[in-house]
Coordinates of all heavy atoms in Angstrom, one line a residue:
M122 N 109.9 81.9 72.4 CA 109.5 83.2 72.8 C 110.7 84.1 72.6 O 111.9 83.8 72.9 CB 109.2 83.1 74.3 CG 108.8 84.5 74.9 SD 108.2 84.4 76.5 CE 109.6 84.3 77.5
K123 N 110.4 85.3 72.1 CA 111.5 86.3 71.8 C 111.8 87.0 73.1 O 110.9 87.3 73.9 CB 110.9 87.3 70.8 CG 112.0 88.1 70.1 CD 111.3 88.9 69.0 CE 112.4 89.6 68.2 NZ 111.8 90.5 67.2
T124 N 113.1 87.2 73.4 CA 113.5 87.9 74.6 C 113.5 89.4 74.4 O 113.5 89.9 73.3 CB 114.9 87.5 75.0 OG1 115.8 87.8 74.0 CG2 115.0 86.0 75.3
S125 N 113.5 90.1 75.5 CA 113.5 91.6 75.5 C 114.7 92.0 76.3 O 115.3 91.3 77.1 CB 112.3 92.1 76.1 OG 111.1 91.8 75.4
I126 N 115.1 93.3 76.1 CA 116.2 93.9 76.8 C 115.6 94.9 77.8 O 114.8 95.7 77.4 CB 117.2 94.6 75.8 CG1 117.8 93.5 74.9 CG2 118.3 95.3 76.6 CD1 118.7 94.1 73.8
L127 N 116.1 94.9 79.0 CA 115.7 95.9 80.0 C 116.5 97.2 79.7 O 117.6 97.1 79.1 CB 116.2 95.4 81.4 CG 115.4 94.2 82.0 CD1 116.0 93.8 83.3 CD2 113.9 94.5 82.1
P128 N 115.9 98.3 80.0 CA 116.6 99.6 79.7 C 117.9 99.7 80.5 O 118.0 99.1 81.6 CB 115.6 100.6 80.2 CG 114.4 99.9 80.7 CD 114.6 98.4 80.7
Q129 N 118.8 100.4 79.9 CA 120.1 100.6 80.5 C 119.8 101.6 81.7 O 119.0 102.5 81.6 CB 121.1 101.2 79.6 CG 121.5 100.3 78.5 CD 122.6 100.9 77.6 OE1 123.0 102.0 77.8 NE2 123.1 100.1 76.7
V130 N 120.5 101.4 82.7 CA 120.4 102.3 83.9 C 121.7 103.0 84.2 O 122.7 102.3 84.3 CB 119.9 101.5 85.1 CG1 119.8 102.4 86.3 CG2 118.6 100.8 84.8
R131 N 121.8 104.3 84.2 CA 123.0 105.0 84.6 C 123.1 105.0 86.1 O 122.2 105.3 86.8 CB 123.0 106.4 84.0 CG 123.0 106.4 82.5 CD 123.4 107.8 82.1 NE 123.5 107.8 80.6 CZ 124.5 107.4 79.9 NH1 125.5 106.9 80.5 NH2 124.5 107.5 78.6
V132 N 124.3 104.6 86.5 CA 124.6 104.6 88.0 C 126.0 105.2 88.2 O 126.8 105.4 87.3 CB 124.6 103.2 88.5 CG1 123.3 102.5 88.4 CG2 125.7 102.3 87.9
E133 N 126.2 105.6 89.4 CA 127.5 106.2 89.8 C 128.6 105.1 89.7 O 128.3 104.0 90.0 CB 127.4 106.8 91.2 CG 126.5 108.0 91.3 CD 126.3 108.4 92.8 OE1 127.1 107.9 93.7 OE2 125.6 109.3 93.0
P134 N 129.8 105.5 89.4 CA 130.9 104.5 89.3 C 131.0 103.7 90.6 O 131.3 102.5 90.5 CB 132.1 105.4 89.0 CG 131.6 106.6 88.3 CD 130.2 106.8 88.9
K135 N 130.8 104.3 91.7 CA 130.9 103.6 93.0 C 129.9 102.5 93.1 O 130.3 101.4 93.6 CB 130.7 104.6 94.2 CG 130.6 104.0 95.5 CD 131.9 104.0 96.3 CE 131.7 103.6 97.7 NZ 131.6 102.2 98.0
L136 N 128.7 102.7 92.7 CA 127.7 101.7 92.8 C 128.1 100.5 91.8 O 128.0 99.4 92.2 CB 126.3 102.2 92.4 CG 125.2 101.2 92.4 CD1 125.1 100.5 93.7 CD2 123.9 101.8 92.0
R137 N 128.5 100.9 90.6 CA 128.9 99.8 89.7 C 130.1 99.0 90.3 O 130.1 97.8 90.2 CB 129.4 100.4 88.4 CG 130.0 99.4 87.5 CD 129.4 99.2 86.2 NE 130.0 98.1 85.4 CZ 129.6 97.8 84.3 NH1 128.7 98.4 83.7 NH2 130.2 96.8 83.6
A138 N 131.1 99.7 90.9 CA 132.2 99.0 91.5 C 131.7 98.1 92.7 O 132.2 97.0 92.8 CB 133.2 100.0 92.0
D139 N 130.8 98.6 93.5 CA 130.3 97.8 94.6 C 129.5 96.6 94.1 O 129.7 95.5 94.6 CB 129.3 98.7 95.4 CG 130.0 99.7 96.3 OD1 131.2 99.6 96.5 OD2 129.2 100.6 96.8
L140 N 128.8 96.8 93.0 CA 128.1 95.7 92.4 C 129.0 94.6 91.9 O 128.9 93.4 92.1 CB 127.2 96.2 91.3 CG 126.1 95.2 90.7 CD1 125.0 96.0 90.1 CD2 126.7 94.2 89.7
E141 N 130.0 95.0 91.2 CA 131.0 94.1 90.6 C 131.8 93.4 91.7 O 132.2 92.2 91.5 CB 132.0 94.8 89.6 CG 131.3 95.2 88.4 CD 132.1 96.1 87.4 OE1 133.1 96.7 87.9 OE2 131.8 96.2 86.2
S142 N 131.9 94.0 92.8 CA 132.7 93.4 93.9 C 131.9 92.3 94.6 O 132.5 91.5 95.3 CB 133.1 94.5 95.0 OG 132.0 94.9 95.8
V143 N 130.6 92.2 94.4 CA 129.8 91.2 95.1 C 129.4 90.0 94.1 O 128.7 89.1 94.5 CB 128.6 91.7 95.8 CG1 129.0 92.7 96.9 CG2 127.6 92.3 94.8
L144 N 129.8 90.1 92.9 CA 129.5 89.1 91.9 C 130.2 87.8 92.3 O 131.3 87.8 92.8 CB 129.9 89.5 90.5 CG 129.2 90.6 89.8 CD1 129.8 90.9 88.5 CD2 127.7 90.3 89.7
R145 N 129.5 86.7 92.2 CA 130.0 85.4 92.5 C 130.9 85.0 91.3 O 130.8 85.5 90.2 CB 128.9 84.3 92.6 CG 127.9 84.7 93.7 CD 128.3 84.3 95.1 NE 127.2 84.5 96.0 CZ 127.2 85.3 97.0 NH1 128.2 86.2 97.2 NH2 126.2 85.4 97.8
E146 N 131.8 84.0 91.6 CA 132.7 83.5 90.6 C 131.9 83.0 89.4 O 131.0 82.2 89.5 CB 133.6 82.4 91.1 CG 134.6 81.9 90.2 CD 135.6 80.9 90.8 OE1 135.8 80.9 92.0 OE2 136.1 80.1 90.0
G147 N 132.2 83.5 88.2 CA 131.5 83.1 87.0 C 130.2 83.8 86.7 O 129.6 83.6 85.7
E148 N 129.8 84.6 87.7 CA 128.5 85.3 87.5 C 128.7 86.6 86.7 O 129.7 87.3 87.0 CB 127.9 85.7 88.9 CG 126.6 86.4 88.9 CD 126.0 86.7 90.2 OE1 126.8 87.0 91.1 OE2 124.8 86.6 90.4
T149 N 127.9 86.9 85.8 CA 128.0 88.1 85.0 C 127.1 89.2 85.6 O 126.2 88.9 86.4 CB 127.6 87.9 83.6 OG1 126.2 87.6 83.5 CG2 128.4 86.8 82.9
L150 N 127.4 90.4 85.2 CA 126.6 91.6 85.7 C 125.2 91.4 85.2 O 124.2 91.6 85.9 CB 127.2 92.9 85.1 CG 126.6 94.2 85.5 CD1 126.6 94.4 87.0 CD2 127.3 95.3 84.8
S151 N 125.0 90.9 84.0 CA 123.6 90.7 83.4 C 122.9 89.7 84.2 O 121.7 89.9 84.5 CB 123.7 90.3 82.0 OG 124.2 91.3 81.2
E152 N 123.5 88.6 84.6 CA 122.9 87.6 85.4 C 122.4 88.1 86.8 O 121.3 87.8 87.2 CB 123.8 86.4 85.6 CG 124.0 85.6 84.3 CD 125.1 84.6 84.5 OE1 126.0 84.7 85.3 OE2 125.1 83.6 83.7
F153 N 123.3 88.9 87.4 CA 123.0 89.5 88.7 C 121.8 90.4 88.5 O 120.9 90.4 89.4 CB 124.2 90.3 89.2 CG 124.0 90.9 90.5 CD1 124.3 90.2 91.7 CD2 123.5 92.2 90.6 CE1 124.0 90.8 92.9 CE2 123.2 92.8 91.9 CZ 123.5 92.1 93.0
V154 N 121.8 91.3 87.5 CA 120.7 92.2 87.3 C 119.4 91.5 87.1 O 118.3 91.8 87.7 CB 121.0 93.2 86.2 CG1 119.8 94.0 85.8 CG2 122.2 94.1 86.6
E155 N 119.4 90.5 86.2 CA 118.2 89.7 85.9 C 117.7 89.0 87.2 O 116.5 89.1 87.5 CB 118.5 88.6 84.9 CG 117.3 87.8 84.6 CD 117.5 86.7 83.6 OE1 118.6 86.5 83.1 OE2 116.5 85.9 83.3
A156 N 118.6 88.4 88.0 CA 118.1 87.7 89.2 C 117.5 88.8 90.2 O 116.5 88.5 90.9 CB 119.3 87.0 89.9
S157 N 118.2 89.9 90.3 CA 117.7 91.0 91.2 C 116.3 91.5 90.8 O 115.4 91.7 91.6 CB 118.6 92.1 91.2 OG 119.9 91.7 91.7
V158 N 116.1 91.6 89.5 CA 114.8 92.1 89.0 C 113.7 91.0 89.2 O 112.6 91.3 89.7 CB 114.9 92.5 87.5 CG1 113.5 92.7 86.9 CG2 115.8 93.7 87.3
R159 N 114.1 89.8 89.0 CA 113.1 88.7 89.2 C 112.7 88.7 90.7 O 111.5 88.5 91.1 CB 113.7 87.3 88.9 CG 113.8 87.1 87.4 CD 114.3 85.7 87.1 NE 114.6 85.5 85.7 CZ 113.6 85.2 84.8 NH1 112.4 85.0 85.2 NH2 113.9 85.1 83.5
K160 N 113.7 88.8 91.6 CA 113.4 88.8 93.1 C 112.5 90.0 93.4 O 111.6 89.9 94.2 CB 114.7 88.8 93.9 CG 115.4 87.5 93.9 CD 116.7 87.6 94.6 CE 117.5 86.3 94.5 NZ 118.8 86.4 95.1
A161 N 112.8 91.2 92.8 CA 112.0 92.4 93.1 C 110.5 92.2 92.6 O 109.6 92.6 93.3 CB 112.6 93.6 92.5
V162 N 110.4 91.6 91.4 CA 109.0 91.3 90.9 C 108.3 90.4 91.8 O 107.1 90.6 92.2 CB 109.1 90.8 89.5 CG1 107.8 90.3 89.0 CG2 109.6 91.9 88.5
D163 N 108.9 89.3 92.2 CA 108.3 88.3 93.1 C 107.9 89.0 94.5 O 106.8 88.8 95.0 CB 109.2 87.1 93.4 CG 109.4 86.2 92.2 OD1 108.6 86.3 91.3 OD2 110.4 85.4 92.2
F164 N 108.8 89.8 95.0 CA 108.5 90.5 96.3 C 107.3 91.4 96.1 O 106.4 91.4 97.0 CB 109.7 91.3 96.7 CG 109.5 92.0 98.0 CD1 109.5 91.4 99.2 CD2 109.2 93.4 98.0 CE1 109.3 92.1 100.4 CE2 109.0 94.1 99.1 CZ 109.0 93.5 100.3
R165 N 107.3 92.2 95.0 CA 106.1 93.1 94.8 C 104.8 92.3 94.7 O 103.8 92.7 95.2 CB 106.3 93.9 93.6 CG 107.5 94.9 93.6 CD 107.0 96.2 94.2 NE 108.1 97.2 94.4 CZ 108.4 98.1 93.5 NH1 107.6 98.3 92.4 NH2 109.3 99.0 93.8
R166 N 104.9 91.1 94.1 CA 103.6 90.3 94.0 C 103.2 89.8 95.3 O 102.0 89.9 95.7 CB 103.9 89.2 93.0 CG 103.9 89.6 91.6 CD 103.9 88.4 90.6 NE 103.8 88.9 89.3 CZ 104.5 88.4 88.3 NH1 105.4 87.4 88.5 NH2 104.4 88.9 87.1
V167 N 104.1 89.4 96.1 CA 103.8 88.9 97.5 C 103.2 90.1 98.3 O 102.3 89.9 99.0 CB 105.0 88.3 98.1 CG1 104.8 88.1 99.6 CG2 105.4 86.9 97.5
Q168 N 103.9 91.2 98.2 CA 103.5 92.4 98.9 C 102.1 92.8 98.5 O 101.2 93.1 99.3 CB 104.5 93.5 98.6 CG 104.4 94.7 99.6 CD 105.5 95.7 99.3 OE1 105.8 96.0 98.1 NE2 106.1 96.2 100.3
D169 N 101.8 92.8 97.2 CA 100.5 93.2 96.7 C 99.4 92.2 97.2 O 98.3 92.7 97.6 CB 100.5 93.3 95.2 CG 101.2 94.5 94.6 OD1 101.6 95.4 95.4 OD2 101.5 94.5 93.4
D170 N 99.7 90.9 97.2 CA 98.8 89.9 97.7 C 98.5 90.1 99.2 O 97.4 90.0 99.6 CB 99.3 88.5 97.4 CG 99.3 88.1 96.0 OD1 98.6 88.8 95.2 OD2 99.9 87.1 95.6
F171 N 99.6 90.5 99.9 CA 99.4 90.7 101.4 C 98.5 91.9 101.6 O 97.6 91.8 102.4 CB 100.8 91.0 102.0 CG 100.7 91.3 103.4 CD1 100.6 90.3 104.4 CD2 100.8 92.6 103.9 CE1 100.6 90.6 105.7 CE2 100.8 92.9 105.2 CZ 100.7 91.9 106.1
Y172 N 98.7 93.0 100.9 CA 97.9 94.2 101.0 C 96.4 93.8 100.6 O 95.5 94.3 101.3 CB 98.4 95.3 100.2 CG 99.6 95.9 100.8 CD1 100.7 96.3 100.0 CD2 99.8 96.1 102.2 CE1 101.8 96.9 100.5 CE2 101.0 96.7 102.7 CZ 102.0 97.1 101.8 OH 103.1 97.6 102.3
A173 N 96.2 93.1 99.6 CA 94.9 92.7 99.1 C 94.2 91.9 100.1 O 93.0 92.1 100.4 CB 95.0 92.0 97.8
R174 N 94.9 90.9 100.7 CA 94.2 90.1 101.8 C 93.9 91.0 103.0 O 92.8 90.8 103.6 CB 95.1 89.0 102.2 CG 95.2 87.9 101.2 CD 95.9 86.6 101.7 NE 97.1 86.9 102.5 CZ 98.4 86.9 101.9 NH1 98.5 86.8 100.6 NH2 99.4 87.1 102.7
G175 N 94.8 91.9 103.4 CA 94.5 92.8 104.5 C 93.3 93.7 104.2 O 92.4 93.9 105.1
E176 N 93.2 94.2 103.0 CA 92.1 95.1 102.6 C 90.8 94.3 102.6 O 89.7 94.8 103.1 CB 92.3 95.7 101.3 CG 91.2 96.7 100.8 CD 91.0 97.9 101.7 OE1 91.9 98.3 102.4 OE2 89.9 98.4 101.7
A177 N 90.8 93.0 102.1 CA 89.6 92.2 102.1 C 89.2 91.9 103.5 O 88.0 91.9 103.8 CB 89.9 90.9 101.3
S178 N 90.1 91.6 104.4 CA 89.8 91.4 105.8 C 89.2 92.6 106.4 O 88.2 92.5 107.2 CB 91.0 91.0 106.6 OG 91.5 89.7 106.2
W179 N 89.7 93.8 106.1 CA 89.2 95.0 106.7 C 87.8 95.3 106.2 O 86.9 95.6 107.0 CB 90.1 96.2 106.3 CG 89.6 97.5 106.8 CD1 89.2 98.6 105.9 CD2 89.3 98.0 108.1 NE1 88.8 99.6 106.7 CE2 88.8 99.3 108.0 CE3 89.5 97.4 109.3 CZ2 88.5 100.1 109.1 CZ3 89.1 98.2 110.5 CH2 88.7 99.5 110.3
Q180 N 87.5 95.0 104.9 CA 86.2 95.2 104.3 C 85.2 94.2 105.0 O 84.1 94.6 105.3 CB 86.2 95.1 102.8 CG 87.0 96.1 102.1 CD 86.5 97.5 102.3 OE1 85.3 97.7 102.4 NE2 87.4 98.5 102.4
D181 N 85.7 93.0 105.2 CA 84.8 92.0 105.8 C 84.5 92.4 107.2 O 83.3 92.3 107.6 CB 85.5 90.6 105.8 CG 84.7 89.5 106.3 OD1 83.6 89.3 105.7 OD2 85.1 88.8 107.2
Y182 N 85.5 92.9 107.9 CA 85.2 93.4 109.3 C 84.2 94.5 109.3 O 83.3 94.6 110.1 CB 86.5 93.8 110.0 CG 86.2 94.5 111.3 CD1 85.8 93.8 112.4 CD2 86.4 95.9 111.4 CE1 85.5 94.4 113.6 CE2 86.1 96.5 112.6 CZ 85.7 95.8 113.7 OH 85.4 96.4 114.9
Q183 N 84.4 95.5 108.4 CA 83.5 96.6 108.4 C 82.0 96.2 108.0 O 81.1 96.8 108.5 CB 84.0 97.7 107.4 CG 85.2 98.4 107.9 CD 85.6 99.6 106.9 OE1 85.5 99.4 105.7 NE2 85.9 100.7 107.5
R184 N 81.9 95.2 107.1 CA 80.6 94.7 106.7 C 79.9 93.9 107.8 O 78.7 94.0 108.1 CB 80.8 93.8 105.5 CG 79.4 93.5 104.8 CD 79.6 92.6 103.5 NE 80.0 91.3 103.9 CZ 81.2 90.8 103.7 NH1 82.2 91.5 103.3 NH2 81.5 89.5 104.1
T185 N 80.7 93.0 108.5 CA 80.1 92.1 109.5 C 80.3 92.5 111.0 O 79.5 92.1 111.8 CB 80.7 90.7 109.4 OG1 82.1 90.7 109.7 CG2 80.6 90.2 107.9
G186 N 81.3 93.3 111.2 CA 81.6 93.7 112.6 C 82.2 92.5 113.4 O 82.5 92.6 114.6
E187 N 82.5 91.4 112.7 CA 83.0 90.2 113.4 C 84.6 90.3 113.3 O 85.2 90.5 112.3 CB 82.6 89.0 112.7 CG 83.1 87.7 113.4 CD 82.6 86.5 112.6 OE1 81.5 86.5 112.1 OE2 83.3 85.5 112.7
A188 N 85.2 90.1 114.5 CA 86.6 90.1 114.6 C 87.1 88.9 115.4 O 86.2 88.3 116.1 CB 87.1 91.4 115.2
H189 N 88.3 88.6 115.3 CA 88.9 87.5 116.1 C 89.8 88.0 117.1 O 90.7 88.8 116.8 CB 89.6 86.5 115.1 CG 88.7 86.0 114.0 ND1 87.8 85.0 114.2 CD2 88.6 86.4 112.8 CE1 87.1 84.8 113.1 NE2 87.6 85.6 112.2
P190 N 89.7 87.5 118.4 CA 90.6 88.0 119.4 C 92.1 87.7 119.1 O 92.4 86.7 118.5 CB 90.2 87.2 120.6 CG 88.8 86.8 120.4 CD 88.8 86.6 118.9
V191 N 93.0 88.7 119.3 CA 94.4 88.6 119.0 C 95.0 87.3 119.6 O 95.8 86.7 119.0 CB 95.1 89.9 119.3 CG1 95.2 90.1 120.8 CG2 96.5 89.9 118.7
D192 N 94.6 87.0 120.8 CA 95.2 85.8 121.5 C 94.9 84.6 120.7 O 95.7 83.7 120.6 CB 94.7 85.7 122.9 CG 95.3 86.8 123.8 OD1 96.4 87.4 123.5 OD2 94.7 87.1 124.9
D193 N 93.7 84.5 120.2 CA 93.3 83.3 119.4 C 94.1 83.2 118.1 O 94.5 82.1 117.7 CB 91.8 83.3 119.1 CG 90.9 83.2 120.3 OD1 91.4 82.9 121.4 OD2 89.7 83.3 120.1
V194 N 94.2 84.3 117.4 CA 95.0 84.4 116.2 C 96.4 84.0 116.4 O 97.0 83.2 115.7 CB 94.9 85.8 115.5 CG1 95.8 85.9 114.3 CG2 93.4 86.1 115.1
L195 N 97.1 84.6 117.5 CA 98.5 84.3 117.7 C 98.6 82.8 118.1 O 99.6 82.2 117.7 CB 99.0 85.2 118.8 CG 99.2 86.6 118.4 CD1 99.6 87.5 119.6 CD2 100.2 86.8 117.3
A196 N 97.7 82.3 118.9 CA 97.8 80.8 119.3 C 97.7 80.0 118.0 O 98.5 79.0 117.9 CB 96.7 80.5 120.2
E197 N 96.8 80.3 117.1 CA 96.7 79.5 115.9 C 98.0 79.6 115.0 O 98.5 78.6 114.5 CB 95.5 80.0 115.1 CG 95.3 79.1 113.8 CD 94.0 79.5 113.1 OE1 93.2 80.2 113.6 OE2 93.9 79.1 111.9
L198 N 98.6 80.8 115.0 CA 99.8 81.0 114.2 C 101.0 80.2 114.9 O 101.8 79.6 114.2 CB 100.2 82.5 114.1 CG 99.3 83.3 113.2 CD1 99.6 84.8 113.3 CD2 99.5 82.8 111.7
R199 N 101.0 80.3 116.2 CA 102.1 79.5 116.9 C 101.9 78.0 116.6 O 102.9 77.3 116.4 CB 102.0 79.8 118.4 CG 102.6 81.2 118.7 CD 102.7 81.4 120.2 NE 103.2 82.7 120.5 CZ 102.4 83.7 121.0 NH1 101.1 83.5 121.2 NH2 102.9 84.9 121.2
A200 N 100.7 77.5 116.7 CA 100.5 76.1 116.4 C 100.9 75.7 115.0 O 101.5 74.7 114.8 CB 99.0 75.8 116.7
M201 N 100.6 76.6 114.0 CA 101.0 76.3 112.7 C 102.5 76.3 112.5 O 103.1 75.4 111.8 CB 100.4 77.4 111.7 CG 98.9 77.3 111.6 SD 98.1 78.7 110.8 CE 98.9 78.7 109.2
T202 N 103.1 77.2 113.2 CA 104.6 77.3 113.1 C 105.2 76.1 113.7 O 106.2 75.5 113.2 CB 105.1 78.6 113.8 OG1 104.5 79.7 113.2 CG2 106.6 78.7 113.8
E203 N 104.7 75.7 114.9 CA 105.3 74.5 115.6 C 105.0 73.2 114.7 O 105.9 72.4 114.6 CB 104.6 74.3 117.0 CG 105.3 73.3 117.8 CD 106.8 73.4 118.0 OE1 107.2 74.6 118.1 OE2 107.5 72.4 118.1
A204 N 103.9 73.1 114.1 CA 103.6 71.9 113.3 C 104.6 71.9 112.1 O 105.1 70.8 111.7 CB 102.2 72.0 112.8
R205 N 104.9 73.0 111.5 CA 105.8 73.1 110.4 C 107.2 72.8 110.8 O 107.9 72.1 110.1 CB 105.7 74.5 109.7 CG 106.6 74.6 108.5 CD 106.1 73.8 107.4 NE 106.9 74.1 106.2 CZ 107.2 73.2 105.3 NH1 106.7 72.0 105.3 NH2 107.9 73.5 104.2
R206 N 107.6 73.3 112.0 CA 108.9 72.9 112.5 C 109.1 71.4 112.7 O 110.1 70.9 112.4 CB 109.2 73.7 113.8 CG 109.5 75.1 113.7 CD 109.9 75.7 115.0 NE 110.3 77.1 114.8 CZ 110.0 78.1 115.6 NH1 109.4 77.9 116.7 NH2 110.4 79.3 115.3
K207 N 108.1 70.8 113.3 CA 108.1 69.4 113.5 C 108.2 68.6 112.1 O 108.9 67.7 112.0 CB 106.9 68.9 114.3 CG 106.9 69.2 115.7 CD 105.7 68.7 116.5 CE 105.8 69.2 117.9 NZ 104.6 68.8 118.7
Q208 N 107.4 69.1 111.2 CA 107.5 68.5 109.8 C 108.9 68.6 109.2 O 109.3 67.7 108.6 CB 106.4 69.2 109.0 CG 106.3 68.6 107.6 CD 105.3 69.4 106.7 OE1 105.1 70.6 107.0 NE2 104.7 68.8 105.8
L209 N 109.6 69.7 109.5 CA 110.9 69.9 108.9 C 112.0 69.3 109.8 O 113.1 69.3 109.4 CB 111.1 71.4 108.7 CG 110.3 72.1 107.7 CD1 110.5 73.6 107.8 CD2 110.5 71.6 106.3
G210 N 111.6 68.8 111.0 CA 112.6 68.2 111.9 C 113.4 69.2 112.6 O 114.6 69.0 112.9
L211 N 112.9 70.4 112.8 CA 113.7 71.5 113.5 C 113.4 71.5 115.0 O 112.4 71.2 115.5 CB 113.3 72.8 112.9 CG 113.6 73.0 111.4 CD1 113.1 74.3 110.9 CD2 115.1 72.9 111.1

């Protein structure tokens, strides 16, 4: 697969200096930028999925009028969290 180049971004010298000051040993500016872009893309996908699920739930509620009591939902989430903690040995 052929690689592509991201557009150059002009930044203030202070931001560039701040960025260079946080690079890990052996890490290049390009590696940092690529990792940051990948994380931002992943975050946006998770965020979009979250909004889509919320919208689908809202549409389902408007169509059916059926809702779940908040106490039941929280209890289920707490149980799931506790089960995962036990699984991880926390």
